[in-house]
Amino acid sequence: MTPHSSSLLHQNTNTARRRAAEVRFRAYGLLAVAISLAALLVLLLSVLSSGLGAFRQTVLHVPVTLTQTVLDPSGTRDLEAIKTVTTLGYTKLINAALVDTITQAGIRIDGLTAAEIANMVSKAAPAQIRNAVLGDIDLIGQTIHVPLLANGRIDGYLKGRVTMETAGRDSKVSPRQLQLADAMLAKGLISKPFNLAFITAADASDQRPEAAGLGVAILGSAYMMLIVLVLALPLGVAASIYLEEFAPKNRWTDVIEVNIANLAAVPSIVFGILGLAIFINFAGLPQSAPIVGGLVLTLMTLPTIIIATRASLKAVPNSIRDAALGVGASQMQAVFHHVLPLAAPGILTGAILGLAQALGETAPLLLIGMVAFVRDFPDAPPAGLFDPASALPVQIYNWTQRADPAFAERASGAIIVLLLFLLVLNTGAILLRRRFERRW
Amino acid sequence: MTEFSMFLGLLVLAGFGFVLGRGRAMSLVQGDSRRLHSLPHYYGWAVVIRTLRPAIVLLILWRAVAPLGHWGMAAVLVLAMAGLHWSLPRSTPTFRARNLVERGVMGLLILASSVAIATTAGIVLSMLFETRNFFAQYDWRAFFFSSNWTPQFQGNSDLGILPLLWGTLYISFIALALAVPVGLFTAIYLSEYASRRHRAIVKPMIEVLAGIPTIVYGLFALITVGPLLRDYFAQPLGLGNSGSSVMTAGLVMGIMLIPFVSSLSDDIISQVPQSLRDGSLGLGATRSETIRRVVIPAALPGIVGAVLLAASRAIGETMIVVLGAGAAAKLSLNPFEAMTTITVKIVSQLTGDTDFAAPETLVAFALGLTLFAFTLCLNILALIIARKYREQYE
């Protein structure tokens, strides 16, 4: 080794090198943390910026006169007869109302055709008016003020997705329609209020992204979470109690433990294949039903709950069990009357975290048939558990597969809703843990 | 009579059995429960078990063979009533009711535990069965060794796993290349250098990344990362013009795996005893030298296990690659091209319109079995390495 002179005045070169290495190493660590946090920030910002727009929807404030001659020619106010008037009839009323409103406001756009005026509203608008009339027949003959959903492209214009130059190349909207929209905006005939229907309405077809909502998906997810809670929690706790407290420690239980640890790490798509092969093909349950989704998710959540419950049971000190046995309890009484209540907070926390994980799963649900377009709300349980339904993450996936760019905004908005639910669940779990955790 | 009313009838009989059984035991000791062998409610539950057990056994056996029908439901109810009639006189003070009930509860617990085993058995059996059907229609050598994946509607498809396997491994490699260094260094910084307050703030934020569902990452890849990479890297460099590529999916999957690797490594690093660090620092090493020469080598088996688990997770991931990597099966080295994986093809073959018994659909089961076997081997390997090379410090 080359002798270095030791001096209090000049730093030894070796030491300087080692110091520099230390600084570099620490910098790498800080860089890694910065990368992780930056990734999180970019992810959240990207989701928020593309999704927040979905919570406001462009509507037209056009008073529609419900002419009796069109809707109820006989004048008898017979509900069945009024129901025979399809949305085509209402479309005529809406077109007339639009033309009236525009001329009354004094808006003139050169070259604007009647078809373009009629196309300003969404194809779902006639159904809106029809539902309002069927809900209250006495409205016929009056002029109602129902905010009509605007066309998806007009909505995109007010949100910045569509511009004058893209409209020139777009077959679904023309620059004149955008000018009309500007003029109507100036007169207060168009606005962008908060869109509660995004959360409550059912899904809509490809032509009507403006009417698409999350109602069916949220209900389907709720049903599935209910099934997971009712099935996975008792099964998981029962299995953990047996494995932790009563099972003899031999080769067989060792295999079971390895088995459960493996199940927790199996890719979720394999559970989807299992669900397809056993629940749908073998047992004949209906495709795309919450019951099948709930069963598949139960099997996925079971290992998580078992692992969390075993950890909570292990954390209860043996002195509790010994004391219970000492005052004359049987082993089962000691477990159920003393150990289980003390382990309950940890078990509940694990269950909530397992539920949160199950809420975000998509792949297994795709395989059991939830890719289809579901228009109607499922009934109340238990019959409704066998109706076709959707789920929140599956709905997001479905919307990303559609061509209209308005659906990308809706998918991001749905992600915001999903993340909010997960935030509530995870915060609940953390608060539960903080409030009831015991340090032995 | 409907099945619902049969179950209602069973419930009513059980309720009666509970009240009468407990009441009879208590009346035989003139209300002094100390003279009973077990607590009073155990006598009630014992009668319930003896009432319901034969009826439920008959129900399951009958149902397995044929639908119930009126005779079946009547038989179940009659058996329950017979059970009630037989068990009531036996509800005496010396009868060991609690033992019976606890044996029954133990049976239920064992049944619950067997669900976990049944799940694994179900996974393996269901895939094996359909895979056998697939290999009856398609040569297994062509499946494992062909490098073409071109399913056709009319049959005569080329279904080779190699392009899919290549895509899977390539994307996982890129994901691990991002996640392992960043995750490991994050864990090292947070456990060795960061102050307690910083750690308490930063660690939960990184855990948030772990809790985000993969569909969100998939959409992130589709909407943000894909176009970004295409516009700023792939097109200027002339390497490709697709938003979906191996790089997109790999980067986003790496971001998803960072908290996984970080938290596992953190656990392992904090298990290394402080005495090793103190000894190294006492000999004059800097903190980074201690970490590099003492702590990491001591934690290495666990870290290797964590990396293998992360690899297993990356290989089995579906939504990120479905949305971020595209559907084109090819064997290429260009990371900016769209290459698909095993999981994407499982989804597309099972949700397509082809007939279920056709090899194009059954291949999904063969793919699933391969995937399961692969991840199982990785998980077991991780477990073996962690157990075998773990140092016992105490």
Side-chain angles (χ1 to χ4, degrees):
Chain A
M1 202 165 83
T2 342
H4 294 282
S5 55
S6 287
S7 157
L8 280 176
L9 299 171
H10 303 287
Q11 194 180 49
N12 192 332
T13 43
N14 199 19
T15 314
R17 205 155 25 97
R18 287 169 63 208
R19 278 245 188 103
E22 166 79 20
V23 169
R24 267 200 311 269
F25 194 79
R26 202 190 157 117
Y28 292 154
L30 204 54
L31 183 66
V33 173
I35 291 178
S36 314
L37 293 180
L40 178 64
L41 199 65
V42 170
L43 177 66
L44 288 179
L45 278 180
S46 146
V47 162
L48 279 176
S49 71
S50 51
L52 276 179
F55 289 95
R56 307 182 79 186
Q57 196 62 38
T58 311
V59 290
L60 297 165
H61 297 286
V62 169
V64 178
T65 309
L66 300 167
T67 339
Q68 176 151 331
T69 48
V70 176
L71 299 178
D72 187 17
S74 57
T76 52
R77 293 284 189 270
D78 175 20
L79 186 61
E80 291 308 316
I82 295 175
K83 271 192 189 171
T84 60
V85 183
T86 66
T87 47
L88 280 177
Y90 290 88
T91 313
K92 284 191 291 213
L93 292 177
I94 293 179
N95 291 348
L98 275 172
V99 172
D100 275 339
T101 315
I102 293 175
T103 29
Q104 270 181 3
I107 302 175
R108 288 188 53 85
I109 313 272
D110 294 324
L112 191 63
T113 66
E116 282 173 346
I117 297 181
N119 205 23
M120 290 289 285
V121 287
S122 156
K123 292 196 173 50
Q128 277 179 290
I129 305 283
R130 184 167 182 270
N131 288 340
V133 166
L134 290 179
D136 182 6
I137 323 181
D138 295 321
L139 289 172
I140 298 184
Q142 300 173 24
T143 304
I144 58 172
H145 295 263
V146 169
L148 301 172
L149 278 177
N151 187 356
R153 292 292 200 268
I154 306 294
D155 181 50
Y157 179 59
L158 266 81
K159 288 177 182 169
R161 273 195 316 263
V162 175
T163 61
M164 285 291 182
E165 42 169 314
T166 62
R169 295 177 298 216
D170 197 337
S171 63
K172 293 202 178 151
V173 73
S174 72
R176 288 181 295 276
Q177 284 177 308
L178 299 185
Q179 288 172 340
L180 176 59
D182 277 331
M184 288 176 81
L185 189 64
K187 301 269 182 193
L189 295 168
I190 284 189
S191 71
K192 246 189 338 175
F194 179 68
N195 182 18
L196 192 63
F198 181 57
I199 302 182
T200 53
D203 193 11
S205 73
D206 278 0
Q207 314 289 330
R208 311 157 193 212
E210 56 275 357
L214 286 173
V216 175
I218 293 181
L219 199 60
S221 273
Y223 283 174
M224 282 190 262
M225 290 303 113
L226 194 67
I227 295 178
V228 171
L229 197 62
V230 164
L231 286 181
L233 192 55
L235 275 178
V237 172
S240 307
I241 290 178
Y242 177 69
L243 289 172
E244 188 62 31
E245 306 282 339
F246 297 111
K249 302 277 180 271
N250 56 20
R251 197 72 191 284
W252 183 235
T253 48
D254 211 23
V255 167
I256 297 182
E257 289 203 33
V258 173
N259 189 20
I260 292 180
N262 270 328
L263 272 182
V266 163
S268 58
I269 196 166
V270 173
F271 284 100
I273 297 181
L274 172 71
L276 179 65
I278 293 197
F279 296 130
I280 295 190
N281 284 345
F282 181 69
L285 290 172
Q287 264 198 357
S288 185
I291 183 99
V292 184
L295 286 171
V296 171
L297 290 177
T298 303
L299 291 178
M300 278 184 62
T301 318
L302 210 53
T304 312
I305 292 188
I306 291 181
I307 292 174
T309 308
R310 288 195 72 174
S312 314
L313 288 172
K314 259 199 253 259
V316 176
N318 270 330
S319 52
I320 303 273
R321 295 181 185 84
D322 293 341
L325 294 175
V327 293
S330 67
Q331 226 184 336
M332 201 164 278
Q333 282 172 328
V335 169
F336 278 99
H337 296 179
H338 299 282
V339 178
L340 197 57
L342 289 173
I347 296 176
L348 277 177
T349 311
I352 294 179
L353 290 176
L355 266 183
Q357 228 178 1
L359 185 62
E361 283 297 334
T362 324
L365 299 178
L366 289 181
L367 291 188
I368 61 160
M370 280 198 171
V371 266
F373 169 58
V374 179
R375 240 267 305 264
D376 303 310
F377 283 89
D379 296 325
L385 295 176
F386 293 86
D387 289 336
S390 186
L392 204 45
V394 173
Q395 187 69 283
I396 296 172
Y397 172 71
N398 275 336
W399 281 347
T400 58
Q401 302 296 98
R402 295 194 191 167
D404 197 317
F407 277 115
E409 177 198 64
R410 290 191 117 70
S412 304
I415 284 185
I416 295 179
V417 174
L418 178 65
L419 287 179
L420 274 175
F421 280 146
L422 288 175
L423 187 68
V424 166
L425 278 175
N426 279 314
T427 314
I430 293 178
L431 284 178
L432 195 72
R433 191 195 292 167
R434 285 241 182 102
R435 170 90 177 74
F436 291 107
E437 194 179 32
R438 285 175 82 140
R439 295 233 166 269
W440 297 102
Chain B
M1 185 174 21
T2 63
E3 282 201 13
F4 182 64
S5 52
M6 177 189 74
F7 278 114
L8 207 59
L10 282 177
L11 212 62
V12 166
L13 281 173
F16 268 129
F18 183 85
V19 173
L20 291 174
R22 188 182 59 175
R24 187 181 145 83
M26 285 298 276
S27 71
L28 283 176
V29 290
Q30 285 90 39
D32 187 5
S33 62
R34 290 172 302 171
R35 281 154 54 188
L36 291 173
H37 170 268
S38 323
L39 288 171
H41 69 89
Y42 281 113
Y43 289 93
W45 285 114
V47 171
V48 168
I49 289 180
R50 280 174 162 176
T51 306
L52 288 182
R53 191 165 46 192
I56 290 185
V57 168
L58 178 67
L59 183 65
I60 294 177
L61 287 179
W62 190 298
R63 251 309 192 69
V65 182
L68 269 180
H70 289 292
W71 285 114
M73 291 195 256
V76 167
L77 281 175
V78 162
L79 205 57
M81 282 191 267
L84 182 62
H85 179 81
W86 181 83
S87 60
L88 265 182
R90 285 171 174 76
S91 184
T92 58
T94 50
F95 170 52
R96 297 158 81 145
R98 193 198 63 208
N99 300 38
L100 184 95
V101 174
E102 291 192 344
R103 269 203 309 270
V105 173
M106 185 74 88
L108 286 176
L109 294 181
I110 295 181
L111 203 67
S113 314
S114 52
V115 170
I117 312 174
T119 310
T120 312
I123 290 177
V124 174
L125 282 178
S126 61
M127 286 198 291
L128 265 181
F129 191 63
E130 302 287 358
T131 308
R132 201 197 54 179
N133 288 345
F134 170 66
F135 283 137
Q137 297 184 36
Y138 193 86
D139 184 19
W140 66 270
R141 279 170 300 239
F143 175 67
F144 281 112
F145 299 115
S146 159
S147 57
N148 278 328
W149 174 274
T150 38
Q152 316 271 16
F153 256 128
Q154 56 274 43
N156 216 6
S157 326
D158 223 343
L159 298 168
I161 198 178
L162 284 183
L164 308 181
L165 197 61
W166 171 249
T168 307
L169 292 177
Y170 200 177
I171 294 181
S172 307
F173 174 72
I174 294 183
L176 287 175
L178 172 64
V180 170
V182 175
L184 195 56
F185 269 104
T186 305
I188 290 174
Y189 186 83
L190 285 180
S191 62
E192 303 280 338
Y193 287 105
S195 70
R196 191 126 33 105
R197 218 189 48 173
H198 287 163
R199 189 185 145 94
I201 298 178
V202 172
K203 199 149 196 289
M205 284 167 74
I206 297 188
E207 297 297 319
V208 168
L209 268 180
I212 293 181
T214 53
I215 181 85
V216 179
Y217 283 111
L219 196 78
F220 180 54
L222 185 68
I223 289 186
T224 309
V225 178
L228 203 87
L229 282 178
R230 180 192 59 204
D231 295 335
Y232 292 106
F233 285 95
Q235 267 170 350
L237 292 175
L239 284 175
N241 51 11
S242 160
S244 309
S245 66
V246 166
M247 202 57 153
T248 313
L251 281 182
V252 174
M253 206 189 287
I255 297 177
M256 178 195 77
L257 287 174
I258 289 175
F260 194 70
V261 174
S262 166
S263 69
L264 283 176
S265 309
D266 198 32
D267 289 340
I268 295 160
I269 288 175
S270 48
Q271 274 171 14
V272 175
Q274 190 60 26
S275 52
L276 268 75
R277 292 188 188 87
D278 292 342
S280 168
L281 292 171
L283 287 173
T286 62
R287 260 206 277 194
S288 68
E289 284 166 357
T290 307
I291 296 173
R292 261 184 296 136
R293 306 264 184 102
V294 176
V295 176
I296 297 293
L300 201 59
I303 292 179
V304 168
V307 170
L308 285 176
L309 282 177
S312 154
R313 190 99 204 250
I315 287 175
E317 179 47 51
T318 314
M319 292 324 292
I320 298 182
V321 280
V322 164
L323 291 175
K330 48 172 107 108
L331 280 162
S332 159
L333 273 177
N334 181 1
F336 290 99
E337 267 186 45
M339 262 179 262
T340 195
T341 69
I342 296 179
T343 46
V344 173
K345 284 307 166 191
I346 293 179
V347 173
S348 69
Q349 295 306 108
L350 280 176
T351 54
D353 290 327
T354 46
D355 169 35
F356 191 78
E360 284 76 24
T361 314
L362 290 178
V363 71
F365 291 96
L367 288 173
L369 195 61
T370 314
L371 187 71
F372 180 68
F374 211 79
T375 51
L376 192 71
C377 290
L378 278 177
N379 292 338
I380 293 185
L381 194 64
L383 203 66
I384 291 178
I385 289 183
R387 272 196 195 167
K388 182 167 172 204
Y389 293 103
R390 184 182 54 190
E391 306 274 353
Q392 285 295 92
Y393 290 112
E394 301 300 312

